[in-house]
Amino acid sequence: QWICCPTCVHLGKVIGYKPVVIVHGLFDSSGEFVELLRFINQSHPGTNVSVFDLFDRSSSLQPLWKQVEGFKAAIYPIMQNAADGVNFICYSQGGLICRGILSTLPDHNVHSFISLSSPQAGQYGDTNYLKYLFPQFMKFNLFHFCYTSVGQRISICNFWKDPHHMDMYVNSSDYLALLNSERTNPNSTVWKKNFLRIKKLVLIGGPDDGVITPWQSSQFGFYDDNETVVELKDQDLYLRDVFGLKTLNARGDLFLCSMAGVEHINWHSNYTVFNACIEKWLV
């Protein structure tokens, strides 16, 4: 039974399972998640699931900090009413929004943060999204636009990470470079403490995604300046435990789930993905 309200869609009642909050990606809305809602209802009957109709479609291009504040305001009451905590499933761009929420909310009670094919380490690739948004640019020259004050008003530029222009990225990125403390961030210690309130971090992605580039960004891998992928555990942000990935791993609370044969738009409607990578964490 779907009950519509101005900002979200709820499914079911809270009976034994933690509420689930789903945050959508670029150009999405709540309607894309019907299958995921069905999977959750079948495996965890009675779970309260919220998919927010905020920053839908073209509004998803708004700056990520603005979206963080909007989603935070909508999600916080759900957290306050969930004594045992909530679970996050955050898809694509939504995974970065959720990181912003988790880093800046000192009293959040998120148990499992499930990052579903999200460019957590950044994005650098010639994709259909890029051609649609910036038809006059390609990956090698988009930095000319993204690393400006105007460019940083568009969400995709907030996590555009050109490995050949890292100085410009660090100095210009108002979002990802701050979250990763690649840019000096006076709040980094507090943000790390906040982020580490999560009990589990699940990073889901795969080589046939076709959008997240490199696909390993969904698991915090990224290109070096030769466009060779450096995996998570060799990344500086992991080795220095900048915001808690190494701590999570040491705690036994960092999980990577990789799956071939899944295109980007299908992650949330693929039952094999749900069964292998998501279901067990919704407790």
Side-chain angles (χ1 to χ4, degrees), residues 4 42 54 98 113 135 143 148-149 183 204 244 247:
C4 295
Q42 287 175 346
L54 287 171
C98 288
F113 169 28
F143 76 93
T148 65
S149 58
R183 183 176 178 180
I204 304 170
T247 297

Side-chain angles (χ1 to χ4, degrees), residues 171-204:
N171 291 323
S172 303
S173 173
D174 290 337
Y175 192 79
L176 185 62
L178 283 175
L179 275 185
N180 288 348
S181 287
E182 293 162 310
R183 183 176 178 180
T184 302
N185 177 9
N187 298 311
S188 60
T189 302
V190 174
W191 285 12
K192 178 178 179 178
K193 182 180 178 182
N194 295 343
F195 185 72
L196 284 170
R197 288 176 64 87
I198 63 173
K199 303 298 185 282
K200 308 289 178 190
L201 174 59
V202 184
L203 302 171
I204 304 170

Side-chain angles (χ1 to χ4, degrees), residues 206-209 259-264 266-267 270 273:
D208 301 307
D209 182 272
M259 191 162 291
V262 183
E263 295 180 11
H264 189 69
N266 295 328
W267 285 103
N270 185 306
V273 171

Side-chain angles (χ1 to χ4, degrees), residues 226-244:
N226 293 315
E227 293 188 38
T228 300
V229 173
V230 178
E231 300 286 353
L232 161 65
K233 290 184 180 178
D234 294 317
Q235 287 283 346
D236 182 66
L237 55 78
Y238 176 85
L239 295 169
R240 292 194 298 115
D241 201 26
V242 172
F243 56 89

Side-chain angles (χ1 to χ4, degrees), residues 41-205:
N41 196 41
Q42 287 175 346
S43 65
H44 295 69
T47 300
N48 183 316
V49 183
S50 301
V51 191
F52 292 89
D53 272 319
L54 287 171
F55 303 101
D56 288 358
R57 307 300 181 193
S58 60
S59 294
S60 65
L61 290 168
Q62 293 191 46
L64 289 185
W65 282 123
K66 181 177 181 180
Q67 296 193 51
V68 165
E69 292 307 312
F71 277 105
K72 192 190 294 185
I75 293 169
Y76 194 61
I78 297 172
M79 292 180 175
Q80 289 181 305
N81 289 323
D84 295 327
V86 303
N87 292 318
F88 272 11
I89 302 175
C90 308
Y91 169 63
S92 197
Q93 178 177 277
L96 289 169
I97 293 168
C98 288
R99 269 186 71 199
I101 294 169
L102 295 170
S103 298
T104 58
L105 195 57
D107 58 342
H108 77 75
N109 57 357
V110 172
H111 188 271
S112 296
F113 169 28
I114 300 167
S115 172
L116 186 58
S117 191
S118 174
Q120 293 291 358
Q123 172 75 9
Y124 183 71
D126 288 318
T127 65
N128 289 334
Y129 283 93
L130 185 67
K131 292 169 189 169
Y132 172 74
L133 287 170
F134 307 109
Q136 71 275 36
F137 288 105
M138 295 182 72
K139 70 177 185 179
F140 71 88
N141 61 4
L142 185 59
F143 76 93
H144 287 296
F145 175 74
C146 274
Y147 298 153
T148 65
S149 58
V150 174
Q152 287 298 304
R153 295 176 197 162
I154 298 176
S155 65
I156 189 172
C157 287
N158 291 158
F159 55 92
W160 185 257
K161 189 172 180 178
D162 188 328
H164 307 291
H165 297 91
M166 287 300 291
D167 286 349
M168 291 182 70
Y169 158 75
V170 167
N171 291 323
S172 303
S173 173
D174 290 337
Y175 192 79
L176 185 62
L178 283 175
L179 275 185
N180 288 348
S181 287
E182 293 162 310
R183 183 176 178 180
T184 302
N185 177 9
N187 298 311
S188 60
T189 302
V190 174
W191 285 12
K192 178 178 179 178
K193 182 180 178 182
N194 295 343
F195 185 72
L196 284 170
R197 288 176 64 87
I198 63 173
K199 303 298 185 282
K200 308 289 178 190
L201 174 59
V202 184
L203 302 171
I204 304 170

